[in-house]
Amino acid sequence: MNNNATYGDGGDEPVQTSAGPAVTNGSAGGTNHHAGHSDTEGSPLPPPSSASSGFSDDDSLHADPTGTSSSQGLSIAEFVEAVRSKGRSGLCLEYTEIKTKPPDGSFEVAKRRENQSKNRYTDVLAYDHTRVLLSLQDDVPGSDYINANFVDGYKQKNAFISTQGPMPKTVEDFWRMVWEQQSLVIIMTTRVMERGRNKCAQYWPGTEGMEMTHGDFLVTTECVTSSPDYVLSSLTLCNTKTLETRMVAHYQFTAWPDYGVPESALSMLEFLAKARHTQAALLADLGDTWAGHPRGPPIIVHCSAGIGRTGTLCTLDICISRLEDSGTVDVRGTVERIRSQRAYSIQMPDQYIFCHLALIEYALSRGLIPAKPDLSGFQTSDSDTSE
């Protein structure tokens, strides 16, 4: 583990073991967890929001249907014209303006001595005001900390949890977070190794029938489905204290190149749609045991640092949802809002530009614009690395 790195590598992989006894099936419903308590049983209630941004479902910048926010957004036709008019250089300048703004919060808990080694990168920390609080274990200082933040979606508070790629020493905390937040879908947008560098621990069993034990949780891979752009692992997560089991879908996007951004956004857009479909299906299976938001518990999204590709995916999901609902787009406002909840989200200009071009591709695929616009000036990349 290298906790002194800057967007660097961080940690070895845990060892997989062959599958043991069959997992005892239990209720698929969620449990209620409140920050500062270690109780693992209770009636299923929505995830705790004590550490969330505090904004209601409809008052975030990207969720304002009334036009009273600082940006009312653009129609898709206006958006396309604005992108063409600004060009690559204009969007790079816009991103620079966003990036130069200071953070919107403090990082005091992340900087505490007992938590420093839990941060994969010393310069990518979890905001205090939106951090995900784990249940405090045996009053151990720092046992409620994980480098993860709630991020609002479109008309949905805490739609996402943006987090770093787990390290060997934080894998148990990661699965505690999955359990306590009742998450059904994990989206991973990196490989374990890229360019010879470790980007994330192998925190889930990569082969059907294999299992891992992390603290009080037994993770078993029931099925693996591979496609050219992603790998879907259907997992069973068992709380070995209560013997309750839940199904969790693990989506790993493998089409992001080691350098730059994907040439076409369609693969990521299709990947995102599949993950959303799976979230809806698993939520439907819960039936009345889920009493939270109609779109379900937070989707956990991570790359390595949890800001670059993670921020890109969350931006696209929010903007697509807004476009479908209101017919308007506001990429800049969305990115600024996400950065106010997960610091430094969207790590480089290419990712910011990619969000714009991906939305145009989406609009074209949905017939929202009549023809593909001339975007030939966006072919040259200014950066060659991507987190």
Side-chain angles (χ1 to χ4, degrees):
M1 185 267 305
N2 179 9
N3 66 307
N4 293 316
T6 300
Y7 299 150
D9 38 339
D12 302 320
E13 303 170 29
V15 178
Q16 292 184 356
T17 58
S18 58
V23 178
T24 303
N25 288 324
S27 169
T31 56
N32 181 30
H33 294 267
H34 295 280
H37 297 275
S38 58
D39 184 7
T40 56
E41 297 180 323
S43 59
L45 292 172
S49 58
S50 58
S52 76
S53 63
F55 289 90
S56 67
D57 289 352
D58 294 320
D59 66 359
S60 58
L61 183 62
H62 44 258
D64 181 9
T66 65
T68 58
S69 69
S70 59
S71 174
Q72 297 184 30
L74 302 173
S75 70
I76 190 60
E78 293 170 334
F79 175 75
V80 172
E81 183 54 37
V83 170
R84 292 183 62 226
S85 176
K86 292 175 183 176
R88 183 178 188 84
S89 60
L91 290 179
C92 284
L93 178 61
E94 191 170 281
Y95 173 75
T96 301
E97 294 173 354
I98 296 172
K99 190 174 183 179
T100 53
K101 293 181 180 179
D104 292 302
S106 60
F107 309 94
E108 296 305 315
V109 176
K111 292 178 179 178
R112 289 177 184 169
R113 184 172 183 177
E114 64 267 22
N115 295 330
Q116 290 176 7
S117 65
K118 301 175 187 177
N119 300 312
R120 178 174 284 274
Y121 307 113
T122 58
D123 53 355
V124 182
L125 306 177
Y127 272 138
D128 293 322
H129 68 285
T130 57
R131 75 181 182 93
V132 178
L133 273 71
L134 301 176
S135 57
L136 196 63
Q137 293 194 314
D138 300 321
D139 294 324
V140 175
S143 60
D144 66 344
Y145 177 76
I146 186 170
N147 190 313
N149 294 95
F150 288 112
V151 171
D152 293 343
Y154 181 69
K155 296 186 178 181
Q156 180 185 4
K157 187 169 72 173
N158 301 350
F160 307 102
I161 291 174
S162 293
T163 186
Q164 66 182 16
M167 301 183 295
K169 74 172 297 177
T170 66
V171 169
E172 180 181 344
D173 293 337
F174 178 85
W175 285 113
R176 277 208 294 143
M177 179 175 69
V178 174
W179 186 266
E180 293 178 5
Q181 294 301 322
Q182 309 172 66
S183 293
L184 302 171
V185 172
I186 300 167
I187 296 179
M188 175 178 180
T189 59
T190 184
R191 298 180 184 87
V192 170
M193 298 290 295
E194 289 187 358
R195 305 193 299 277
R197 302 164 65 189
N198 181 272
K199 309 295 280 187
C200 177
Q202 180 70 45
Y203 61 88
W204 79 104
T207 307
E208 290 183 8
M210 301 295 283
E211 66 181 27
M212 290 177 170
T213 298
H214 299 293
D216 295 330
F217 299 99
L218 178 67
V219 186
T220 306
T221 297
E222 306 292 349
C223 178
V224 177
T225 304
S226 298
S227 80
D229 299 323
Y230 70 91
V231 178
L232 167 60
S233 299
S234 298
L235 310 177
T236 298
L237 179 61
C238 176
N239 184 325
T240 58
K241 279 190 172 182
T242 65
L243 298 184
E244 180 184 358
T245 62
R246 300 177 190 164
M247 297 303 299
V248 177
H250 183 277
Y251 275 92
Q252 183 183 15
F253 186 69
T254 57
W256 200 294
D258 287 354
Y259 293 89
V261 294
E263 289 186 10
S264 171
L266 288 180
S267 60
M268 173 168 275
L269 294 172
E270 293 171 359
F271 168 80
L272 182 56
K274 289 181 182 295
R276 272 293 180 193
H277 177 77
T278 298
Q279 167 91 347
L282 290 175
L283 183 63
D285 290 342
L286 297 183
D288 294 338
T289 63
W290 173 252
H293 194 279
R295 297 192 84 182
I299 293 177
I300 296 175
V301 187
H302 78 83
C303 40
S304 185
I307 56 175
R309 302 177 194 183
T310 295
T312 302
L313 185 138
C314 292
T315 298
L316 286 176
D317 183 85
I318 292 167
C319 288
I320 287 171
S321 296
R322 172 173 174 162
L323 177 61
E324 290 287 353
D325 181 57
S326 70
T328 61
V329 178
D330 179 18
V331 175
R332 177 169 183 162
T334 299
V335 172
E336 289 176 331
R337 178 52 185 265
I338 291 175
R339 287 173 72 94
S340 75
Q341 298 178 319
R342 175 70 175 174
Y344 312 119
S345 292
I346 303 289
Q347 187 185 343
M348 58 184 57
D350 276 359
Q351 293 168 346
Y352 186 68
I353 293 169
F354 178 78
C355 289
H356 289 76
L357 301 184
L359 280 170
I360 292 175
E361 279 198 64
Y362 177 82
L364 187 64
S365 70
R366 298 280 291 174
L368 301 178
I369 52 178
K372 185 174 183 178
D374 179 12
L375 299 172
S376 55
F378 287 88
Q379 300 305 313
T380 303
S381 174
D382 293 334
S383 56
D384 63 356
T385 60
S386 163
E387 177 266 314

